[in-house]
Amino acid sequence: HGELMAASPVRADVGVFGGSGLYRFLDDVTEITVDTPYGPTSGPIHVGRLGDRTVAFLARHGADHEFPPHLVPYRANVWARHSLGVVNVFGPCASGSLQAHVAPGHFVVPHQLVDRTWGRPDSFFDGPVVHHVAFADPYDEQLRQVALAACRDEDVLVHDAGTVVCVQGPRFSTRAESQWFGSHGWEVINMTQHPEAVLCREAGLRYAAIALITDFDAGLEGSGVPAVTQEEVFAFFEQNVETVRRGPHPAPPPGPPPQPPRARPRLRPR
């Protein structure tokens, strides 16, 4: 079915898809551009050292937050990571809470995902090659445990497990939607986890998300909490960016990435 994605001469151990406010994640970096068959990535990729690891960071919304969540070039972003040799990917992201016990300032390392988006290109396999990827457990358990340990080492309040519902955006939820999501027991709401997570799975990459809770989504019924605004989300993330910078970028576990049920799929130019 063609060759595996062409490798870049620049290599990295860990990939990080940053969310709002994380653009200062690395110091002393090399800026590179990766051409992909799915068009340009959200911006240049910044490759630098963090301890003994080489980290490739990409701002998923662009350096100036110019890509709304439904227009992020997710396939190009993931394709570029694979081409750099990355097999372990962390996805820190600003998120809202759907439950009173998950408060702004907390971290959540989710274990499940509900997709409520529509119309986003969300597969590398549009035909004629068909691959039905296993996705019962969207997040790599080894990376989840590493992320949890890193957050605890930084003495931040982190929730082990939780379900994140990914909505289309860019608008925030209505109160009825927010209450419906919360009634299922789901803890976190976000706009970028799909298709980022499933594309990493298709590419054979480990993936774990680390959600920084910036707000209660549309306000919790009967609690007096006001509905979220964009200005509040950005301001909260900016205030906490140093905690995010330290906490959610741990070293990945040793060993090869998990394999899909068949051979690792070959991602090729269309």
Side-chain angles (χ1 to χ4, degrees), residues 158-242:
V158 60
H159 297 267
D160 179 0
T163 296
V164 54
V165 54
C166 186
V167 296
Q168 178 72 356
R171 69 170 178 85
F172 292 117
S173 302
T174 67
R175 291 189 187 277
E177 290 168 336
S178 184
Q179 290 162 13
W180 182 61
F181 298 150
S183 72
H184 292 283
W186 305 337
E187 290 85 1
V188 178
I189 187 165
N190 174 264
M191 298 180 186
T192 57
Q193 282 299 287
H194 183 82
E196 191 169 279
V198 71
L199 290 171
C200 284
R201 178 63 56 85
E202 283 193 344
L205 309 182
R206 288 179 169 131
Y207 182 81
I210 307 102
L212 170 60
I213 302 303
T214 60
D215 59 88
F216 289 112
D217 183 42
L220 296 180
E221 186 175 17
S223 68
V225 176
V228 61
T229 68
Q230 174 177 292
E231 291 75 18
E232 290 170 346
V233 171
F234 285 3
F236 187 92
F237 211 100
E238 184 65 25
Q239 293 167 9
N240 290 270
V241 70
E242 191 59 31

Side-chain angles (χ1 to χ4, degrees), residues 10 39 53 55 83 86-87 89 101 105-106 108 130 144 166 175 179 196 200 225 230 233 236 249 255 267 269:
V10 178
R53 298 285 177 169
V55 178
S83 74
V86 168
V87 293
V89 179
H101 69 278
H106 293 188
V108 179
V130 177
R144 277 203 344 101
C166 186
R175 291 189 187 277
Q179 290 162 13
E196 191 169 279
C200 284
V225 176
Q230 174 177 292
V233 171
F236 187 92
H249 310 300
L267 305 185

Side-chain angles (χ1 to χ4, degrees), residues 5-198:
M5 291 189 259
S8 164
V10 178
R11 311 295 279 172
D13 306 310
V14 183
V16 176
F17 289 118
S20 309
L22 276 176
Y23 309 136
R24 299 188 298 275
F25 167 59
L26 290 176
D27 299 315
D28 302 321
V29 301
T30 299
E31 184 177 293
I32 64 171
T33 300
V34 178
D35 294 326
T36 88
Y38 300 96
T41 59
S42 297
I45 297 174
H46 296 84
V47 180
R49 301 292 293 180
L50 181 68
D52 62 350
R53 298 285 177 169
T54 302
V55 178
F57 173 78
L58 176 62
R60 67 166 67 84
H61 291 288
D64 298 314
H65 209 90
E66 62 267 35
F67 291 99
H70 64 297
L71 295 179
V72 169
Y74 295 101
R75 291 195 293 186
N77 290 352
V78 173
W79 198 98
R81 291 316 172 89
H82 195 306
S83 74
L84 296 176
V86 168
V87 293
N88 300 284
V89 179
F90 293 97
C93 53
S95 302
S97 170
L98 297 166
Q99 304 296 336
H101 69 278
V102 182
H106 293 188
F107 284 81
V108 179
V109 181
H111 75 298
Q112 275 299 323
L113 169 65
V114 175
D115 171 28
R116 295 287 298 172
T117 68
W118 54 269
R120 302 181 182 191
D122 61 358
S123 177
F124 292 114
F125 297 94
D126 289 335
V129 178
V130 177
H131 180 74
H132 299 285
V133 69
F135 202 53
D137 298 300
Y139 300 105
D140 182 82
E141 185 58 26
Q142 283 184 291
L143 283 197
R144 277 203 344 101
Q145 293 304 318
V146 172
L148 285 165
C151 289
R152 288 165 180 158
D153 286 346
E154 293 299 329
D155 200 28
V156 297
L157 201 161
V158 60
H159 297 267
D160 179 0
T163 296
V164 54
V165 54
C166 186
V167 296
Q168 178 72 356
R171 69 170 178 85
F172 292 117
S173 302
T174 67
R175 291 189 187 277
E177 290 168 336
S178 184
Q179 290 162 13
W180 182 61
F181 298 150
S183 72
H184 292 283
W186 305 337
E187 290 85 1
V188 178
I189 187 165
N190 174 264
M191 298 180 186
T192 57
Q193 282 299 287
H194 183 82
E196 191 169 279
V198 71

